[in-house]
Amino acid sequence: MVKTTVSVIKADVGSYPGHSRTHPKLLEVAARMLKEAEGSTIIDSYVTHCGDDLELIMTHTKGEDNEEIHELAWNVFLECAKIAKEMKLYGAGQDLLADAFSGNVKGMGPGVAEMEFEERGSDPLLVFMADKTEPGAWNYFLYKIFADPFSTSGLVIDPSMHQGFTFEVHDVMEKRRIRFNTPEESYSLLAYIGAPSRYVIKYVWKKDGTIAASTSTQRLNMMAGRYVGKDDPVMVIRAQSGLPSVGEVIDPFRTPILVAGWMRGSHHGPFMPVGVCDANCTQFDGPPRVVCLGFQVSNGKLIGPADMFDDPAFNRVRDRCCELSDVLRAHGPFEPHRLSLEEMEYTTLPGVEKQFKDRWEDLPE
């Protein structure tokens, strides 16, 4: 049986004004280029944005890490970056860290989340896209969705989920990976993913090998060797029929958690779930946003999307995020609003420290 692959590839190729939102012209060009590739390179596509990030959602039968698919995305980003530069948009091409395509966009700047699977009788798919935060922002939610029975009741009352799930965690500092089985290794899993700036959940599977979730784990500053913006991750989750229901997947987002990123990638802020129409980061270049588009996958076709957070049920969490924003902003340049010194090493602060390195004196004994 031919398997379907879903590839979600994103990049910040230029925005206006400042880091606020993606220009409609870029969305139009990207959608046209992908549409022209349908029927040959890809089966179906959808183009959207979250804040200043251009999001490409594609289906095909070529598997993960396919050179042809990644080159298509790269060419779309290059063309959009060219237009962004002509319009003098902010940060035009900032996520494109290479001059030429080299077989795979991983390590070249864009974020990538992909999964290959055999389609079920009904296959709901949820695509999450974030702005002004880092890949580890998904850790809390993936644990709640796939390992917390107080969040996902199916872990208790659905026999097909009783065996639990397997989580693949990446150490983005040491470039290594490990797998944990839940529920038996839940505490060990939490010991690592509770430090989301370093340990990031990449995949989640059922114990029988069925893929359930895939995320982007690319860290821009580590690839570029300098601060070039936050990573703004993406995530793909399958739902229903032995997996958490659609409602169980999105319900944890009603809790306002704090994530790293926000202004200059240097602050903690509340992760606000919004509809695509509100995915424009303004207040202090934020607060960090997350959107979710829901599809049914049918023979590789994307049926949808449904804008999952465009729902008054999420109004209260948005209000609470605004309250948390007020509390954190009152801290100004002080921690915990500002990131810890260890995390600030990956922002623009080292440039300030360099200016004063010769003015420090040893204390007398």
Side-chain angles (χ1 to χ4, degrees):
M1 182 178 180
V2 176
K3 293 183 178 181
T4 296
T5 306
V6 175
S7 299
V8 181
I9 306 181
K10 52 73 57 179
D12 180 354
V13 294
S15 54
Y16 84 108
H19 285 298
S20 175
R21 66 202 73 195
T22 304
H23 195 280
K25 181 67 174 178
L26 305 187
L27 297 170
E28 177 186 328
V29 170
R32 174 180 54 78
M33 291 181 70
L34 291 189
K35 187 62 65 177
E36 291 172 353
E38 290 179 10
S40 55
T41 307
I42 58 177
I43 299 173
D44 203 359
S45 64
Y46 189 81
V47 173
T48 187
H49 81 105
C50 182
D52 57 9
D53 291 287
L54 180 61
E55 317 277 358
L56 311 181
I57 304 170
M58 299 171 284
T59 58
H60 52 94
T61 58
K62 302 177 186 298
E64 295 184 35
D65 296 325
N66 180 267
E67 180 174 348
E68 196 175 359
I69 299 300
H70 283 227
E71 186 172 20
L72 172 62
W74 181 257
N75 289 338
V76 170
F77 292 143
L78 279 183
E79 181 63 24
C80 289
K82 176 184 175 183
I83 295 169
K85 290 174 182 177
E86 291 172 355
M87 292 192 287
K88 294 187 178 181
L89 299 187
Y90 193 80
Q94 76 167 28
D95 281 8
L96 308 184
L97 305 180
D99 295 325
F101 181 72
S102 58
N104 191 306
V105 297
K106 292 180 178 178
M108 300 176 69
V112 183
E114 296 180 292
M115 63 163 63
E116 183 183 35
F117 54 90
E118 288 186 8
E119 290 187 21
R120 299 168 292 172
S122 180
D123 230 310
L125 188 81
L126 298 167
V127 179
F128 294 84
M129 297 154 279
D131 188 31
K132 304 297 186 288
T133 190
E134 63 185 6
W138 303 130
N139 285 6
Y140 170 88
F141 301 102
L142 285 168
Y143 183 85
K144 297 289 285 184
I145 294 165
F146 292 103
D148 183 1
F150 280 81
S151 180
T152 296
S153 61
L155 292 168
V156 176
I157 62 178
D158 185 346
S160 65
M161 293 171 63
H162 265 211
Q163 294 302 311
F165 291 86
T166 298
F167 291 71
E168 180 172 303
V169 177
H170 288 195
D171 179 346
V172 297
M173 302 290 187
E174 296 294 331
K175 299 293 189 291
R176 55 183 183 165
R177 64 186 177 185
I178 188 172
R179 292 184 181 182
F180 294 98
N181 292 316
T182 60
E184 57 268 35
E185 295 180 313
S186 294
Y187 297 162
S188 299
L189 172 65
L190 287 169
Y192 286 95
I193 65 172
S197 62
R198 176 168 179 171
Y199 299 103
V200 181
I201 298 170
K202 173 62 179 175
Y203 294 110
V204 181
W205 296 275
K206 288 187 67 173
K207 296 287 181 62
D208 65 4
T210 301
I211 186 67
S214 173
T215 77
S216 61
T217 58
Q218 289 75 22
R219 292 293 302 269
L220 271 172
N221 49 61
M222 294 178 187
M223 291 185 279
R226 66 187 190 283
Y227 179 71
V228 290
K230 217 55 180 171
D231 314 290
D232 309 329
V234 290
M235 174 170 69
V236 183
I237 295 181
R238 297 169 76 199
Q240 310 288 162
S241 303
L243 297 170
S245 70
V246 168
E248 288 169 333
V249 171
I250 65 174
D251 189 65
F253 288 87
R254 292 193 309 113
T255 299
I257 72 163
L258 301 180
V259 295
W262 209 349
M263 171 62 73
R264 303 179 189 275
S266 302
H267 298 78
H268 285 110
F271 205 22
M272 181 184 287
V274 296
V276 174
C277 63
D278 292 322
N280 304 304
C281 296
T282 56
Q283 190 252 326
F284 201 55
D285 276 2
R289 306 292 166 99
V290 53
V291 299
C292 175
L293 294 184
F295 299 90
Q296 290 287 145
V297 181
S298 176
N299 300 316
K301 289 288 187 179
L302 294 168
I303 312 301
D307 194 342
M308 304 304 293
F309 293 144
D310 183 16
D311 180 348
F314 289 89
N315 285 347
R316 187 176 180 189
V317 66
R318 289 189 274 266
D319 289 341
R320 295 174 70 191
C321 285
C322 289
E323 292 174 4
L324 286 168
S325 295
D326 292 341
V327 172
L328 287 164
R329 287 296 302 123
H331 286 71
F334 288 84
E335 299 178 19
H337 183 30
R338 198 178 79 175
L339 301 184
S340 67
L341 284 177
E342 182 182 37
E343 292 183 87
M344 290 292 285
E345 292 177 10
Y346 303 98
T347 68
T348 53
L349 182 63
V352 176
E353 294 174 329
K354 187 176 181 180
Q355 297 176 32
F356 295 96
K357 66 182 180 66
D358 296 326
R359 287 175 54 177
W360 285 91
E361 301 175 4
D362 291 334
L363 291 172
E365 296 184 4

